[in-house]
């Protein structure tokens, strides 16, 4: 079976000595390896304002906490995402306000977001789903016009680009996941990057109970309660090794995605996703819309190819029942979208086989 997702781990002869060294170094918690990972990850996304964390969910929570979002506030979000995007908002006590998606892309629709803004709106949570970048030209306008910060959930979008630069320095907050099956895994982990560096120190306090690690515990005064969200030296060491390979690994995702963009462009029953101006996807998954999706998935499965929706739309969960509303564009998109294998493990022969299988019809 050609898998839809698969973790990449650097060769053991490269990885294991580094892990062994840090495991027996005497310091496996937050330390120099974490600092080094933040520096090198910042170089990778071309933004030095980075704080590493224990998960992408922690990154989202830190962003919301820095904004002091809580009961009585509203956060506009999308239901077209994995659950943590929105369960994290729910944890704050704020109300999630669903905006609809662009029917062609499945990504949050700026026009719908504008309609949902109220005096209680404190943030806009958008998701670069499957590595496709939202219409940031329009979201930047909305953010500036209403003075509402944007949180970019970039769990799927490492190496995606906006305006010629890696996603990670456009909005006030950008949140990453290094969970098992993402472009890059540190086994688990995450990071948050900031457009400006003024909130970095506060974020570092929030990731460690509210304590300032620049001074001793005996000298600390917690002014705002924080969490245990720090990345440890072991995960950071894994990340440092993984980063050496990301240009090539994500490059394979992108090469496969571009191949599909061409090879699937004129097949009856398939509608490809258009990409917004000034954006470049990193193809964590290859997403398209198909007619008769159930039959399409059965065909591919019969030929040893995994095809799936992967994520369940968030607005159907009971925990979000108070936010229920009509989302007609999402209804239409959700009925037809599907993912096919696109990652680093998909070789030239594999992707040709996938396309040939699809061309046979379903």
């Amino acid at each position: 079976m050609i898998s839809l997702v698969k973790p990449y781990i650097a060769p053991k002869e490269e990885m294991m000595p580094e892990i062994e060294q840090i495991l027996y170094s005497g310091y496996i918690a937050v330390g120099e390896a974490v600092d080094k990972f933040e520096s090198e990850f910042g170089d990778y996304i071309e933004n030095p304002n980075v704080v590493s964390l224990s998960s992408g969910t922690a990154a989202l929570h830190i962003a919301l906490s820095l904004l002091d979002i809580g009961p009585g506030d509203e956060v506009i979000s999308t239901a077209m995402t994995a659950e943590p995007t929105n369960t994290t908002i729910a944890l704050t006590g704020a109300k999630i306000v669903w905006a609809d998606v662009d029917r062609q892309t499945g990504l949050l629709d700026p026009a719908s977001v504008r309609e949902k803004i109220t005096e209680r709106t404190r943030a806009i949570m958008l998701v670069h789903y499957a590595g496709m970048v939202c219409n940031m030209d329009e979201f930047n306008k909305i953010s500036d016009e209403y003075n509402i910060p944007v949180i970019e959930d970039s769990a799927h979008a490492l190496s995606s680009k906006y305006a010629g630069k890696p996603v990670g320095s456009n909005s006030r907050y950008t949140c990453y996941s290094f969970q098992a099956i993402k472009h890059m895994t540190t086994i688990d982990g995450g990071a948050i990057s900031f457009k400006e560096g003024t909130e970095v120190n506060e974020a570092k306090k929030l990731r460690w109970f509210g304590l300032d690690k620049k001074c001793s515990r005996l000298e600390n005064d917690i002014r705002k309660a924080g969490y245990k969200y720090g990345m440890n030296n072991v995960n950071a060491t894994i990340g440092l090794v993984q980063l050496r390979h990301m240009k090539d690994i994500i490059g394979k995702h992108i090469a496969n995605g571009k191949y599909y963009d061409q090879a699937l462009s004129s097949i009856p029953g398939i509608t490809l996703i258009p990409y917004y101006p000034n954006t470049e996807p990193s193809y964590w998954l290859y997403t398209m819309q198909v007619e008769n999706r159930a039959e399409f998935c059965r065909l591919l499965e019969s030929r040893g190819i995994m095809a799936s929706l992967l994520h369940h739309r968030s607005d159907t969960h009971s925990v979000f029942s108070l936010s229920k509303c009509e989302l007609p564009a999402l209804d239409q998109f959700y009925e037809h979208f599907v993912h096919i294998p696109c990652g680093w493990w998909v070789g030239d022969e594999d992707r040709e086989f996938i396309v040939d299988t699809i061309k046979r019809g379903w």
Side-chain angles (χ1 to χ4, degrees):
M1 181 72 74
I2 304 176
S3 299
L4 190 62
V5 292
K6 187 176 181 179
Y8 173 81
I9 301 293
K12 65 179 180 179
E13 59 270 18
E14 182 182 359
M15 179 69 78
M16 297 313 294
E18 303 263 6
I19 294 176
E20 183 176 354
Q21 182 178 356
I22 197 68
L23 280 176
Y24 295 98
S25 67
Y27 200 0
I28 58 176
V30 181
E32 291 182 5
V34 170
D35 294 339
K36 186 177 181 184
F37 175 75
E38 289 173 345
S39 176
E40 294 194 13
F41 184 73
D43 290 342
Y44 187 83
I45 64 170
E46 299 179 18
N47 181 358
N49 303 314
V50 170
V51 175
S52 59
L53 299 157
S54 57
S55 68
T57 305
L60 296 170
H61 200 189
I62 290 286
L64 294 164
S65 296
L66 287 167
L67 293 171
D68 290 320
I69 288 174
D73 296 329
E74 295 178 352
V75 177
I76 297 175
S77 186
T78 176
M80 183 62 195
T81 183
E83 290 82 358
T85 305
N86 294 307
T87 54
T88 307
I89 300 171
L91 284 173
T92 69
K95 180 183 178 181
I96 297 169
V97 176
W98 303 124
D100 211 345
V101 302
D102 181 331
R103 171 67 181 85
Q104 292 186 295
T105 67
L107 301 177
L108 195 63
D109 182 3
S112 179
V113 169
R114 280 185 176 274
E115 294 174 355
K116 299 300 180 83
I117 292 172
T118 72
E119 68 276 3
R120 293 185 297 277
T121 305
R122 296 290 312 284
I124 298 166
M125 182 82 80
L126 57 81
V127 178
H128 300 313
Y129 188 82
M132 302 178 291
V133 180
C134 293
N135 188 348
M136 296 312 302
D137 286 350
E138 291 303 313
F139 279 112
N140 286 344
K141 292 177 185 176
I142 292 171
S143 181
D144 291 343
E145 182 178 344
Y146 291 92
N147 194 30
I148 298 173
V150 168
I151 302 170
E152 297 183 36
D153 182 338
S154 298
H156 299 178
L158 186 60
S159 291
S160 296
K161 291 185 176 181
Y162 170 62
K165 293 187 62 178
V167 165
S169 56
N170 172 73
S171 297
R172 185 166 172 178
Y173 308 110
T174 305
C175 300
Y176 300 91
S177 171
F178 309 132
Q179 184 262 350
I181 59 173
K182 298 303 190 295
H183 278 119
M184 182 181 81
T185 181
T186 60
I187 310 307
D188 209 347
I192 182 170
S193 63
F194 303 84
K195 186 173 184 178
E196 307 292 343
T198 53
E199 293 179 285
V200 167
N201 288 338
E202 185 64 21
K204 288 183 175 180
K205 291 179 185 178
L206 285 175
R207 77 176 175 187
W208 199 251
F209 312 116
L211 292 166
D212 186 346
K213 289 184 74 69
K214 292 179 180 178
C215 56
S216 75
R217 290 266 181 123
L218 298 177
E219 298 171 328
N220 256 287
D221 177 25
I222 295 176
R223 297 177 181 273
K224 181 176 180 178
Y227 317 98
K228 193 177 187 297
Y229 281 169
M231 178 180 280
N232 62 59
N233 281 352
V234 180
N235 292 121
T237 297
I238 293 170
L240 285 165
V241 178
Q242 297 284 77
L243 272 173
R244 301 169 193 164
H245 298 269
M246 282 307 103
K247 182 177 180 181
D248 290 338
I249 292 303
I250 300 179
K252 292 178 181 178
H253 283 255
I254 294 171
N256 287 335
K258 289 183 175 180
Y259 172 81
Y260 289 143
D261 285 341
Q262 295 297 319
L264 299 173
S265 61
S266 58
I267 297 177
I270 288 179
T271 302
L272 298 186
I273 306 286
Y275 309 123
Y276 294 113
N278 294 323
T279 73
E280 299 173 45
S282 59
Y283 301 96
W284 179 57
L285 302 165
Y286 191 82
T287 310
M288 56 189 181
Q289 298 186 71
V290 299
E291 299 299 325
N292 301 317
R293 182 176 59 198
E295 290 299 322
F296 176 88
C297 291
R298 275 193 284 269
L299 167 70
L300 267 62
E301 184 177 357
S302 73
R303 302 300 303 278
I305 305 162
M306 186 176 290
S308 171
L309 284 67
L310 195 64
H311 292 122
H312 185 63
R313 57 186 285 177
S314 288
D315 60 331
T316 59
H317 290 291
S318 298
V319 70
F320 305 128
S321 59
L322 294 178
S323 298
K324 195 71 176 176
C325 66
E326 296 296 319
L327 300 170
L330 177 57
D331 292 341
Q332 295 174 47
F333 182 84
Y334 196 83
E335 185 178 349
H336 296 286
F337 89 99
V338 71
H339 307 300
I340 60 173
C342 185
W344 58 271
W345 60 95
V346 179
D348 291 354
E349 291 185 5
D350 293 324
R351 70 190 192 186
E352 290 168 10
F353 173 65
I354 291 168
V355 170
D356 288 343
T357 298
I358 293 171
K359 284 182 176 179
R360 293 169 182 257
W362 57 96

